[in-house]
Amino acid sequence: MERAAADEWRGWREATEEALYGPSGFYRRPEGPAGHFRTSVHASPLFAGAVARLLCHLDAVLGHPDPLTFVDMAAGRGELVTGVLAALPADVAARTRAYAVERAERPAGLDPRIAWLTEPPRGITGLLFANEWLDNVPVDVAEAGPDGVPRLVLVRGDGTERLGEPVTGEDARWLRTWWWPPTGARPASGPPPDATPRHEAPHPTQTPPDPAPIHEAPRPPGPPSDPAPTQEAPQPPAAPDPASAPEAPRPPGAGASHGALLAPAEGARAEIGLPRDLAWASAVSALDRGLAVAVDYTHFAGGRPPFGTLTGFREGRETAPAPDGSCDITAHVALDACALPGGRVLTQRAALRALGVNGARPPLALASTDPAAYARALAGAGQGAELTAPGGLGDFGWLLQPVGLPDGLRDFPDAVLGETPPTGASGHGRLLVDVPDHEEQ
C-alpha cells in the first residue's frame, strides 16, 4: 500500500476495498484464500458433493435445461466449481456450463470447461452459489458517540481509528431498519445471538450431538471476490424501501426486542450492510430461472453483536484488522437484510442434512465385514460432523433465493432443498424436503 494511502483517514469500506482487492491487495497473492484459512469447501469434498446434488435436484425441477448453468461466486482458486463438476453424473455434467467469478487471475491448470469471469453472466438458468462471498464485500463501520449518534469510523493503514461525521442518507436508513431500529419498529428475527466470533483459527471443539468425531471446527473468513463489477453491466435493482423490506422468518428461541429501545449506547458499533444487500440483489438478477444461494456466518435482527464483528485473519489466526494488505478483513453478514422477497435462511446443518451430509457413525458391524469400507465411512462421518457442527460450520446461514421457479416452488415456507422429481416429471416435482422448525432462521 502506498505511504500516502496508509496515512490517510478513510472509511472502512474504501480502505478495505484497496487492502483486499487493490493492485497489492491481500487477495492478489499467489497462495490464494486456502493459504490463510479454510472454508467448508476446503474442509471436505462432501461439501462440493452436496452442492452437486442440489444442482441435480434443481436441474430436474427446471426440466433439464441445456445448458444448465452453475456459477461459483467468490471462487478463490476454483476449488468448489471443480469439485461440483467432478461430482455430477456424466449426463448432467455434459449439459452444465460452469463459471468461476473471481477478481484474482485464473489459476494455472484449471479445468478448461470452467469459464473465469470478474462478474456473473446474465440471463442464466441454473444455480448461483456464493460460499463466503458476502462477508468480504467491504462495508463501512458506524460507532455511537457520546451523544448516541452513529458516526462513521475512519481508519488509517495501520488500523488506527477515529470517529468521523454522523452517518446520513441511505446508510442511516439501513442502520435504523436493520441494526438499531426505533422502539417497536420491527419484530426481531433470527436465531439466538452467538456469543463467540466466527472467524477464529481452526481449533479443537467439543463433540456435537452427532455420534461422530470432530477434530476441528474452523472459523474462517470467506474467499475473495469482486464485490463491485469492474466492467459495465446492467444496473442492479434499486435498494428496497426499508419500510417494506422483507423480514426473515423468526424461529423458536430467537432473540427479540419486545419493543425495547435498541438505540445505541456510546461505543456501540455496527457494520453498515447496504453494499452487501445491493451486491446480492445484483447477483440474483443474473438469473432468469433457478436458485441463488449465499452461505456465510450471519446474525439477525434482535441479536446483532453490540460491538460489531469486523476482524482480520492471517495465516490461520485471527488478528486485529488493519487495511494495509497484510491480512483478510471480514465481518458477519446480516442475511436477513440481504434476503429478497421469497428468500429463506436456514442453517448449514439443516441444508446439508437435507442433502445427505451428516455426522452419523457407520454401523459397527461394517468393521467386521468390510474394514476398509468402515474406515472410509468413519472418515466421511467425521468430515460431515465438522460441516454440520453446532458452534462451528453448521451454524452458518444458507440464504436461498428462488427465481422464476414453477408455481408452488417459488416460496420456501417450511422446507428446503431435497427430493428429485420422479423420472419424466418436467419441472413439477419437489425441490424441497421438510426440516425442523428450529433449523430455520
Side-chain angles (χ1 to χ4, degrees):
M1 179 178 293
E2 296 293 335
R3 177 61 183 271
D7 293 338
E8 180 184 356
W9 290 104
R10 298 183 290 177
W12 268 106
R13 183 184 180 191
E14 179 185 349
T16 300
E17 173 68 27
E18 180 177 345
L20 296 185
Y21 307 112
S24 301
F26 183 77
Y27 283 127
R28 299 289 190 179
R29 296 182 176 187
E31 68 268 23
H36 295 273
F37 50 79
R38 295 167 73 231
T39 71
S40 295
V41 177
H42 307 116
S44 171
L46 294 177
F47 189 82
V51 176
R53 284 192 291 278
L54 175 59
L55 181 59
C56 288
H57 298 326
L58 184 62
D59 176 49
V61 167
L62 292 170
H64 309 289
D66 189 1
L68 172 69
T69 299
F70 177 71
V71 178
D72 180 8
M73 296 290 296
R77 296 301 180 264
E79 297 95 336
L80 177 60
V81 63
T82 298
V84 168
L85 283 177
L88 289 174
D91 61 322
V92 179
R95 288 185 288 107
T96 299
R97 186 173 295 170
Y99 297 90
V101 179
E102 178 59 70
R103 180 174 290 192
E105 296 297 322
R106 181 188 181 99
L110 187 70
D111 190 325
R113 293 177 295 173
I114 301 170
W116 194 265
L117 305 175
T118 58
E119 61 186 59
R122 317 300 294 184
I124 61 176
T125 296
L127 175 63
L128 182 144
F129 201 91
N131 184 59
E132 297 197 44
W133 166 46
L134 290 173
D135 68 281
N136 280 135
V137 173
V139 292
D140 276 319
V141 177
E143 180 176 323
D147 55 1
V149 175
R151 295 177 178 272
L152 192 67
V153 176
L154 305 181
V155 64
R156 293 196 300 199
D158 62 359
T160 304
E161 295 180 332
R162 69 174 175 85
L163 295 187
E165 295 298 314
V167 179
T168 60
E170 290 300 312
D171 286 347
R173 292 185 69 200
W174 190 93
L175 286 176
R176 287 196 303 269
T177 302
W178 293 107
W179 203 292
W180 292 314
T183 303
R186 173 183 295 274
S189 58
D194 187 350
T196 58
R198 301 192 177 199
H199 27 241
E200 302 164 7
H203 63 281
T205 185
Q206 296 179 345
T207 304
D210 303 271
I214 296 183
H215 304 292
E216 57 182 353
R219 317 300 303 134
S225 180
D226 188 0
T230 56
Q231 301 174 6
E232 185 175 351
Q235 292 297 312
D241 182 352
S244 60
E247 295 180 19
R250 180 179 171 189
S257 64
H258 301 295
L261 181 64
L262 294 181
E266 181 180 358
R269 289 168 68 105
E271 291 96 33
I272 303 171
L274 181 59
R276 293 170 172 180
D277 298 357
L278 296 175
W280 179 242
S282 179
V284 172
S285 71
L287 282 165
D288 275 353
R289 292 195 304 143
L291 184 68
V293 180
V295 180
D296 239 307
Y297 37 67
T298 187
H299 46 59
F300 294 85
R304 309 285 188 213
F307 302 107
T309 60
L310 187 76
T311 194
F313 207 81
R314 182 193 302 117
E315 296 178 352
R317 295 182 181 276
E318 188 174 7
T319 185
D324 59 1
S326 69
C327 65
D328 185 29
I329 300 172
T330 179
H332 289 39
V333 182
L335 287 178
D336 51 348
C338 294
L340 299 169
R344 165 71 70 178
V345 183
L346 301 199
T347 64
Q348 174 159 296
R349 179 168 49 258
L352 290 185
R353 285 177 176 172
L355 290 166
V357 176
N358 59 60
R361 288 179 181 271
L364 189 59
L366 184 62
S368 300
T369 59
D370 192 340
Y374 179 79
R376 290 192 299 271
L378 192 63
Q383 294 173 13
E386 180 180 3
L387 290 171
T388 58
L393 292 173
D395 287 346
F396 275 40
W398 280 42
L399 170 56
L400 307 165
Q401 197 73 58
V403 177
L405 293 184
D407 290 341
L409 291 173
R410 292 173 181 166
D411 299 320
F412 292 79
D414 298 305
V416 66
L417 304 176
E419 296 180 4
T420 304
T423 302
S426 179
H428 297 289
R430 293 178 59 208
L431 178 64
L432 317 177
V433 296
D434 289 338
V435 298
D437 289 343
H438 70 274
E439 296 285 13
E440 298 188 35
Q441 301 181 348

